[in-house]
Structures are given as C-alpha cells and as structure tokens.
Amino acid sequence: MLEVQDLKTFYGKIQVLWGVSLQVQEGEIVAIVGPNGAGKTTLLNSILGLVRPTSGSVTFLGRRIDGLPSYAIAEQGISVVPESGRVFPDMNVRENLEMGAYYAWERRKEALAYVYQLFPRLKERERQLARTLSGGERQMLAIARALMSRPRLCLFDEPSYGLAPLMVREIFEIVQKIREQGVTVLLVEQNVRRALEIADRAYVLENGRICMEGECTELLESDHIRRAYLGM
Amino acid sequence: MTIKIIEVLITGLLMGGLYALVAVGLSLQYGVARILNISHGEFIMLGGLTTWALYTALGVNPLLSLAICGPVAFILGFVIHRTLFKRLLASSASPAIFESNSMLAAFGLMFILQNIALLIWGPEIRGYSYLVIPVHFLGTLFGANRLLTFGLALVIGLGFYLFLSLTRTGKAIRAAAQDPPTAGLMGVNINNVLALCFGLGAAMAGIAGVLISMCYPVHGVMGLEYTIIAIIVVVLGGLGSIPGSFIGGFILGLIGSVVTFFEPGLALVAYYVIFILLLLVRPTGILGR
Ligand SMILES: Nc1ncnc2c1ncn2[C@@H]1O[C@H](COP(=O)(O)OP(=O)(O)OP(=O)(O)O)[C@@H](O)[C@H]1O
Ligand SMILES: [Mg+2]
C-alpha cells in the first residue's frame, strides 16, 4: 500500500535520512521505533510532503506521491496524528474535527457521529476550545480528527508521549480498533514494548538508517532490541 | 455638557467602525498571510478616488461603487498574492525572512499604487457630498452619510465574522492562521488560503475607502495614515486576532474622538503614544496571547 524507497532527506546541509526504505501492506500495523533524534518524525514528514526528500520515492496505492504538496497527499487518503497532537488551539473540539473532514466535507456529519462514538468524552466537550483540553483529551482529539476523513492509511507520531499509563493503554487499544475497522496504521513510538506488542511488523531507525526490520515477535526476541529498547 | 459627551462618544464610534474595517483587513494580511502590508492604505485611497471619480463623472451612486470596488480590490489582491507574494514565500528560507521580504515588497507596491493614482487623479483633494442630511440622534446631530457608513461597516464586520465562524472556507482560514503546516495536512491548499486572505484584506480596504469617501475628502497620498492606524489597531487588538482588530478599531476611534475634542490635530500623536505604551506594557494586545 505504501512503499518508501531509498529516501534521503536534508535540513540545509545536514543529512538526516540516509536512504530509508520501508513497506506497509494494506491492513497492517507497522511500527517504527528508534532513539530520539533518529529521524522518525523527519521520515513521516517526508512522506507527508512537509519536508522535501532530496532523493528516493514514496508510492501510495501505486501512485508516486513524493513531490506533491501536503494537501494533495492528504487527499489521497493519508491522515496523520502529528507529534504532540497539533490540534488547532483557538478552535473548539467540533471545529477541529470538522477540519479533519475538510476534503470530505459532505460526509462530516456521519464522520462526527463515528468519532464521537469512539471518543464519547469529546462529544461532552464539543464546544470547548482545544487549548483548554487536558493533554490526554488533546491527543484523543488529534486521533479523532485524523479519522474524520475516513483515511485508508493513518500515520501516528508518538501518540502515547507524555501520557499517564491508563491513557497510554487506551490510545493503544484505539489504534488496534482502528485497524480492525480497515485503516492501515504506520506507528512511530517511544513505547517500544507496547508498540511491538500491537504491531505486525516493525522497523528500527537509528541515525537515519533502518538497522533492523522484521516481524514483531522476532524483534521482541532479539538481543539488540532487548538491550537497547526494553532495558533487559 | 452631557450632549457634548454623547456627541464625542458617537463620533468616536462612527470613526471606530471605519477603523475596525480597515484593521480587520490588515489583520487578515498580517495575521494570516504574514505580510505587513504597507500598501494597505493605498487600496483605501483607490477605493475612495474611484468612488469620487464614478460619482462626479458618471453620477454612479457610492453604494453601487461599493459593489464594484470590493470585488475589484479582491481580485487585485488575490492576483498580487498569486504572482508576487507566493513567489517570495517559496524563495524565503524562513518565515522571518519572508516577513521582512514581503514588507519590503509591500513598500514597493505602495509607491507603485500611489503614483498610478497621482498620474490619473493628480494630487488634489477630492470630495463630493452624498446624503449630507442632518439626523437627530440622542439630542445630537449627525449626517445621514456618517450613520450609513457606520451601519455598513458593522454589517460587513459581522458578516465577515459569521463567514469565519460558520463556513468551511472560513474555518480553513482560521486553521491556517493558527498552524499552517497542520492545516495543509487536513487537505487545505495553503497557497489558496493565503491568496484569499490577501484578497479579502484588499477588498475590506477598498470598501473602507468607498465608505470614507462618503464622509471625508480623499486624495492620492492619504493611504499611509490609514496604514499606520491599521497597524496600531492590529497590535492593539492582538496580532492574529480578528475580533481583537474589530474591537481595537472602536477603541482607537473613541480615543481619537476624545483627543480631537480637546485638541484637534493631536489625534495621530495620541495614537502613536498609545502604540508605544502598548508595546511597552502589553505587546500581545487586548485579545492576543
Ligand atoms: N526543521 C529542522 N531543521 C533542522 N534540523 C532538524 C529539523 N527537524 C529535525 N531536525 C534534526 O533532524 C534530526 C532528526 O529529528 P527528528 O525530529 O526526525 O527525530 P525523531 O526521531 O522524531 O526524534 P524524537 O523521538 O525526539 O521525536 C535531529 O537531529 C533534529 O535536530
Ligand atoms: Mg519525533
């Protein structure tokens, strides 16, 4: 479904991605894990057209999407829950959700009903400004907003970051639920154990390169993962 | 005495309505499109002089000019953004560089528009009288033209507020003002929204120019004063806050009217003093964060 080939990305003269390749099949949850500063966010932003890769290609459903502006990439059916949520602070919950359905405007009513049923708490806070939500609610809003367009593929950038354990569990349950409803998931996570438990396959990104990949069950057994990421 | 106070206050509100409109226009251009549009006042001037010319040469009702100048200014602003500022944005390495580059470009635009107007209309002060019918109001006397312009400014301000709050495009404008890249990820074509905002800002200026010409004389170099007033109001109301600009316009109008009552000619000085005090005490403005 999504195929990234030999992606190289620079910020000015500094190279951050050194030829990253990965694939996501329809219906999968694929995790990307790696230390801070490895280039995970840069990889997602390169896929989304927020930064321009210098070389390499991104193909979605058989079409090249690298080089397209990010609004056109979104319109292909790719949503994102950005790092730290990035909800629109001075819009209320409902308006934030409506923005998520910007290119599927006619279906926003059904989409609202759908996400309110996933996140009843958002419905209660419909009229509240996003800036006044708690960290967990804000993250839920960011996820719900990403689902409003009924995407084919949803990218998550550390959705559990900074949240309390109960909330973290809830977020991971939602990711699984979304997949069951037919959305393919590419998940960047710091919480490596949880990520490997719910994902089918994973890539380990270190210093801008993929240094390991495979089925999550295998990766959970590997010495490198156990030592570097699971503290064992 | 009370009659005098009421008169000063109402004069202030009437002026404030025009300031509010002018400032909301600049707020769209500066708050959303990040262009400190030094040529904002030139669109006011063009609106005013065009209305004068149409009225005196062809007898066109200024209300009809409103329906002409608004859309024409919109198209002009939209095209200017599409051709000039969009390119500047693409070639600027950072938002800060774009802000300074676009301000310089707007300076250039100011001279071009001003000189075009001077070529067509010369430097003379132009005025016409329209609806100068005295209306009794709370024991005071006001020209019907003043009340009409005030009403129109209010209606346009309110209409625009509803547009921003209720429509899909209005929401996209607000989202783009708060977080442009994320708005893009929602499927908003940012370049279109920016051009739209610049065009809407120009349209507001053009419309304000028409309204101003109904009450005050207009001339080719009147623009800069309004640009400065608009900048002060936008900072007063809080950068990027469109309701703030609207309220700030009324506040500045009231202040101007009070100062003018005691010492005509000091209004602009008072505006500068407020501006400097504001920058020192509360640089984020009334509704800014
Ligand atoms: N806009 C930018 N300009 C310059 N350098 C950047 C920019 N964004 C990221 N970088 C650099 O690129 C490298 C990778 O950053 P990135 O945000 O992709 O890492 P990450 O894997 O997402 O880290 P984290 O887990 O902390 O979110 C870092 O060294 C960072 O300093
Ligand atoms: Mg990151």
Side-chain angles (χ1 to χ4, degrees):
Chain A
M1 177 180 228
L2 178 75
E3 188 169 0
V4 174
Q5 279 275 344
D6 201 23
L7 212 59
K8 295 184 177 129
T9 301
F10 289 73
Y11 290 112
K13 288 205 171 71
I14 302 169
Q15 184 160 8
V16 175
L17 297 183
W18 299 76
V20 173
S21 301
L22 61 84
Q23 279 182 27
V24 182
Q25 310 297 337
E26 184 142 21
E28 271 187 317
I29 297 181
V30 173
I32 299 174
V33 298
N36 292 117
K40 304 181 297 295
T41 299
T42 303
L43 173 58
L44 294 191
N45 286 349
S46 305
I47 295 171
L48 291 165
L50 287 179
V51 292
R52 292 264 158 263
T54 359
S55 69
S57 69
V58 182
T59 313
F60 181 64
L61 296 172
R63 284 184 61 184
R64 284 283 292 264
I65 58 166
D66 51 283
L68 291 181
S70 51
Y71 75 88
I73 293 175
E75 284 171 358
Q76 310 282 315
I78 302 182
S79 279
V80 59
V81 179
E83 199 164 22
S84 71
R86 301 283 287 262
V87 295
F88 300 109
D90 292 325
M91 296 175 104
N92 65 31
V93 166
R94 192 195 175 108
E95 289 170 331
N96 263 282
L97 292 173
E98 286 174 337
M99 282 312 295
Y102 182 77
Y103 69 84
W105 198 248
E106 315 73 47
R107 295 183 313 218
R108 71 187 184 289
K109 293 261 156 60
E110 297 98 273
L112 267 178
Y114 163 66
V115 301
Y116 280 153
Q117 163 237 316
L118 272 179
F119 303 93
R121 216 177 319 170
L122 292 180
K123 168 117 182 125
E124 292 162 23
R125 306 191 176 280
E126 205 174 34
R127 302 275 157 215
Q128 196 172 327
L129 282 189
R131 67 163 61 251
T132 65
L133 294 175
S134 76
E137 289 163 351
R138 211 173 297 171
Q139 197 63 32
M140 285 188 176
L141 177 56
I143 296 175
R145 183 182 65 180
L147 298 177
M148 283 291 291
S149 59
R150 296 305 197 102
R152 309 280 304 265
L153 171 67
C154 189
L155 315 186
F156 288 80
D157 197 347
E158 303 195 16
S160 75
Y161 181 78
L163 300 180
L166 214 62
M167 196 68 211
V168 171
R169 178 179 314 187
E170 199 170 328
I171 299 258
F172 277 96
E173 276 166 9
I174 283 162
V175 172
Q176 284 173 288
K177 202 165 178 185
I178 291 168
R179 185 259 295 269
E180 280 158 23
Q181 291 170 352
V183 181
T184 306
V185 172
L186 181 59
L187 172 69
V188 167
E189 257 299 332
Q190 293 276 350
N191 192 333
V192 176
R193 182 184 302 274
R194 276 277 164 73
L196 294 184
E197 278 166 9
I198 68 161
D200 304 304
R201 292 186 303 112
Y203 294 84
V204 181
L205 185 70
E206 289 179 7
N207 297 316
R209 294 181 175 85
I210 301 284
C211 67
M212 276 180 99
E213 60 177 280
E215 304 280 328
C216 288
T217 43
E218 291 164 21
L219 289 176
L220 278 167
E221 299 294 311
S222 99
D223 281 347
H224 177 66
I225 297 278
R226 289 164 70 94
R227 237 177 289 123
Y229 295 99
L230 302 175
M232 296 197 293
Chain B
M1 189 59 204
T2 32
I3 297 288
K4 205 68 212 168
I5 293 175
I6 291 175
E7 193 179 305
V8 168
L9 291 183
I10 294 178
T11 310
L13 287 180
L14 296 182
M15 201 62 228
L18 290 174
Y19 287 178
L21 201 55
V22 173
V24 167
L26 187 76
S27 187
L28 274 171
Q29 299 179 334
Y30 191 38
V32 187
R34 298 282 159 210
I35 299 165
L36 183 50
N37 183 15
I38 306 292
S39 69
H40 192 55
E42 306 319 312
F43 288 85
I44 300 175
M45 176 271 292
L46 288 177
L49 279 172
T50 307
T51 310
W52 169 81
L54 289 175
Y55 185 75
T56 47
L58 305 170
V60 175
N61 185 319
L63 290 177
L64 186 59
S65 295
L66 213 55
I68 300 170
C69 289
V72 170
F74 174 80
I75 293 168
L76 197 61
F78 192 89
V79 170
I80 288 174
H81 193 279
R82 264 305 157 89
T83 49
L84 175 63
F85 291 111
K86 184 180 154 192
R87 249 166 250 192
L88 271 181
L89 185 61
S91 66
S92 300
S94 76
I97 294 175
F98 175 69
E99 280 197 29
S100 54
N101 284 350
S102 64
M103 190 176 85
L104 289 177
F107 239 116
L109 201 58
M110 175 184 97
F111 287 117
I112 294 171
L113 295 176
Q114 217 174 73
N115 281 296
I116 291 176
L118 289 173
L119 276 179
I120 302 177
W121 290 295
E124 290 85 1
I125 293 180
R126 314 286 194 177
Y128 60 93
S129 67
Y130 172 69
L131 275 185
V132 201
I133 307 158
V135 177
H136 289 272
F137 188 67
L138 293 177
T140 57
L141 270 186
F142 284 96
N145 53 349
R146 305 282 296 273
L147 297 174
L148 176 68
T149 56
F150 178 72
L152 286 172
L154 270 193
V155 167
I156 291 165
L158 187 68
F160 187 65
Y161 179 77
L162 292 177
F163 164 72
L164 284 183
S165 328
L166 301 179
T167 67
R168 174 175 182 253
T169 307
K171 286 170 187 170
I173 289 176
R174 287 161 58 211
Q178 292 169 35
D179 188 342
T182 306
L185 293 176
M186 305 292 115
V188 176
N189 182 338
I190 293 293
N191 279 327
N192 275 352
V193 168
L194 298 184
L196 184 69
C197 285
F198 199 81
L200 284 173
M204 300 237 171
I207 287 172
V210 176
L211 298 181
I212 287 169
S213 78
M214 292 184 191
C215 307
Y216 305 97
V218 290
H219 55 96
V221 290
M222 66 187 275
L224 189 58
E225 186 182 326
Y226 282 100
T227 302
I228 291 168
I229 289 174
I231 292 173
I232 295 175
V233 174
V234 168
V235 174
L236 180 69
L239 262 189
S241 164
I242 286 167
S245 297
F246 200 69
I247 297 166
F250 284 96
I251 294 177
L252 207 69
L254 282 173
I255 293 172
S257 163
V258 171
V259 173
T260 308
F261 173 68
F262 290 110
E263 183 54 60
L266 275 192
L268 209 54
V269 178
Y271 296 163
Y272 284 122
V273 172
I274 288 164
F275 188 49
I276 290 166
L277 285 180
L278 191 73
L279 289 180
L280 289 174
V281 180
R282 190 172 159 79
T284 49
I286 305 170
L287 295 188
R289 292 196 173 83

